[in-house]
Amino acid sequence: MLLTTAHPTRISTAILNLLLPHHRTTDRAPAPAEAFAHQHRRIAAFVREGVPVEFTLPAFPCKSPNPAKVLGRLPDQAERLSLRFLNTLCTEIERVYPPGARVVICSDGHVFGDLIRVPDRHIDAYADELRTLIDDLALGRLSVFDLRDVFGPLAHDAKRARVHDRYAPPVAALRAQVRSDEPTLALYRGITRFLVEDATDFSGTRSALQRECRERAYGVIQRSRAWGTLIAEHHPRAVRLSIHPQPVGAAKFGIRLLDAPDAWTTPWHSAALLRPDGTWTLLPRARAAGLGRLVHRGTRPSHFEQR
């Protein structure tokens, strides 16, 4: 139903109702659109001007370096399905608001590549393939923004240093927030878990690995916050999406790209599995391999198909 003559608040509610089924949150009870006041205001501002709603999504950094979780270093069916989902969400918004919506994917691999121990050349290859996928699949409502758009050909370490020095919050403030704020604690624990899982070549003890990853997790959160501030400078009016779970009423709207067994699973930390009923889910590669056969797309592994 088109809402071209409706009040901006009503259109904003209709758009939020399209987002809500995909809300990524650890809250147990669903919330109505009216509970998302920050997003309401942002969307309504675009509606009043009659221009496309702009969403920014820090995501699609690079593939996990853990071969038990992913099929390789480049985007595969997991990314392909996720990108199509985002583009389709924009087309659904067009049905209730003709100017539609756009999603700016803020690819953040280089922001913390040194901390997650992924070489910059692998991040470049992933980001380049992501842009190619968007073009090949004609996903015209999506675009990619990364540090190359901000600092051009500057060396990766220099880019990271500039972002960190200018925008990163003090680590002492983050430590205090982890102690006092439940969502920040959950984020810290989630990132620490990923770092531990991805440290496949660590030669020390398990306890030493966990200590190191806990420290690196603070660095990842620092850089993530810095990247968020930089994005806000370049896209000051955008509605901020997040691939991390977000509580109802938060300034960021957590969005689930694909079905997965837990709220923290992402396409770049897993592989896509096609179920017998035609639906897709995300699972670690090792687990998906136990359920189905590997399918290739051309010469590259793409996904698993459940037996």
Side-chain angles (χ1 to χ4, degrees), residues 234-283:
H234 286 261
H235 305 274
R237 303 178 59 209
V239 182
R240 171 67 187 276
L241 303 177
S242 174
I243 52 90
H244 296 133
Q246 300 292 330
V248 171
K252 305 173 191 175
F253 186 95
I255 190 161
R256 187 187 292 268
L257 303 177
L258 286 174
D259 176 71
D262 83 54
W264 292 90
T265 303
T266 63
W268 43 94
H269 275 97
S270 57
L273 174 72
L274 178 61
R275 299 185 182 110
D277 63 0
T279 60
W280 294 88
T281 190
L282 296 175
L283 292 173

Side-chain angles (χ1 to χ4, degrees), residues 24-48:
R24 185 190 290 263
T25 182
T26 53
D27 293 335
R28 294 185 179 181
E34 291 73 19
F36 297 85
H38 181 82
Q39 289 76 21
H40 250 302
R41 288 193 296 271
R42 291 272 170 130
I43 294 171
F46 288 103
V47 172
R48 278 192 293 270

Side-chain angles (χ1 to χ4, degrees), residues 108 111-112 114-115 160-175 177-178 184 187-188 191 195 214-230 240 244 252:
D108 46 4
V111 175
F112 37 68
D114 57 326
L115 293 170
R160 281 189 282 269
R162 288 194 182 187
V163 172
H164 187 99
D165 293 345
R166 182 171 180 181
Y167 299 107
V171 69
L174 287 182
R175 292 183 188 279
Q177 194 170 10
V178 165
T184 306
L187 175 65
Y188 168 72
I191 291 173
L195 293 174
R214 284 195 290 267
E215 287 305 308
R216 278 197 282 142
Y218 280 111
V220 171
I221 296 173
Q222 277 185 294
R223 302 268 187 89
S224 179
R225 295 274 179 91
W227 181 230
T229 302
L230 187 152
R240 171 67 187 276
H244 296 133
K252 305 173 191 175

Side-chain angles (χ1 to χ4, degrees), residues 21-281:
H22 312 291
H23 188 211
R24 185 190 290 263
T25 182
T26 53
D27 293 335
R28 294 185 179 181
E34 291 73 19
F36 297 85
H38 181 82
Q39 289 76 21
H40 250 302
R41 288 193 296 271
R42 291 272 170 130
I43 294 171
F46 288 103
V47 172
R48 278 192 293 270
E49 293 185 20
V51 297
V53 179
E54 182 183 67
F55 296 96
T56 51
L57 176 62
F60 298 91
C62 57
K63 284 291 194 182
S64 162
N66 186 345
K69 295 169 73 172
V70 297
L71 290 170
R73 296 171 182 166
L74 296 176
D76 50 41
Q77 184 70 350
E79 280 83 2
R80 193 175 292 110
L81 291 167
S82 300
L83 293 172
R84 281 178 173 155
F85 160 74
L86 291 170
N87 198 74
T88 299
L89 190 59
C90 292
T91 65
E92 290 175 355
I93 290 172
E94 286 177 21
R95 295 193 183 103
V96 300
Y97 176 59
R102 303 288 183 268
V103 176
V104 181
I105 295 169
C106 303
S107 183
D108 46 4
H110 285 304
V111 175
F112 37 68
D114 57 326
L115 293 170
I116 61 175
R117 308 287 165 81
V118 175
D120 286 307
R121 65 183 184 279
H122 295 172
I123 296 170
D124 276 333
Y126 180 92
D128 290 344
E129 182 68 12
L130 201 67
R131 286 181 165 89
T132 298
L133 270 180
I134 289 172
D135 290 340
D136 289 350
L137 297 173
L139 305 179
R141 295 158 184 85
L142 308 183
S143 61
V144 178
F145 173 85
D146 63 25
L147 283 181
R148 288 177 285 190
D149 297 296
V150 182
F151 299 120
L154 197 66
H156 293 303
D157 285 337
K159 291 176 184 176
R160 281 189 282 269
R162 288 194 182 187
V163 172
H164 187 99
D165 293 345
R166 182 171 180 181
Y167 299 107
V171 69
L174 287 182
R175 292 183 188 279
Q177 194 170 10
V178 165
R179 290 192 296 269
S180 63
D181 181 65
E182 188 63 34
T184 306
L185 175 62
L187 175 65
Y188 168 72
R189 287 173 171 167
I191 291 173
T192 300
R193 174 166 66 91
F194 285 143
L195 293 174
V196 170
E197 292 172 352
D198 289 353
T200 56
D201 58 352
F202 189 82
S203 58
T205 64
R206 180 75 175 179
S207 60
L209 171 62
Q210 289 174 332
R211 283 195 301 273
E212 187 213 42
C213 290
R214 284 195 290 267
E215 287 305 308
R216 278 197 282 142
Y218 280 111
V220 171
I221 296 173
Q222 277 185 294
R223 302 268 187 89
S224 179
R225 295 274 179 91
W227 181 230
T229 302
L230 187 152
I231 291 168
E233 279 192 1
H234 286 261
H235 305 274
R237 303 178 59 209
V239 182
R240 171 67 187 276
L241 303 177
S242 174
I243 52 90
H244 296 133
Q246 300 292 330
V248 171
K252 305 173 191 175
F253 186 95
I255 190 161
R256 187 187 292 268
L257 303 177
L258 286 174
D259 176 71
D262 83 54
W264 292 90
T265 303
T266 63
W268 43 94
H269 275 97
S270 57
L273 174 72
L274 178 61
R275 299 185 182 110
D277 63 0
T279 60
W280 294 88
T281 190

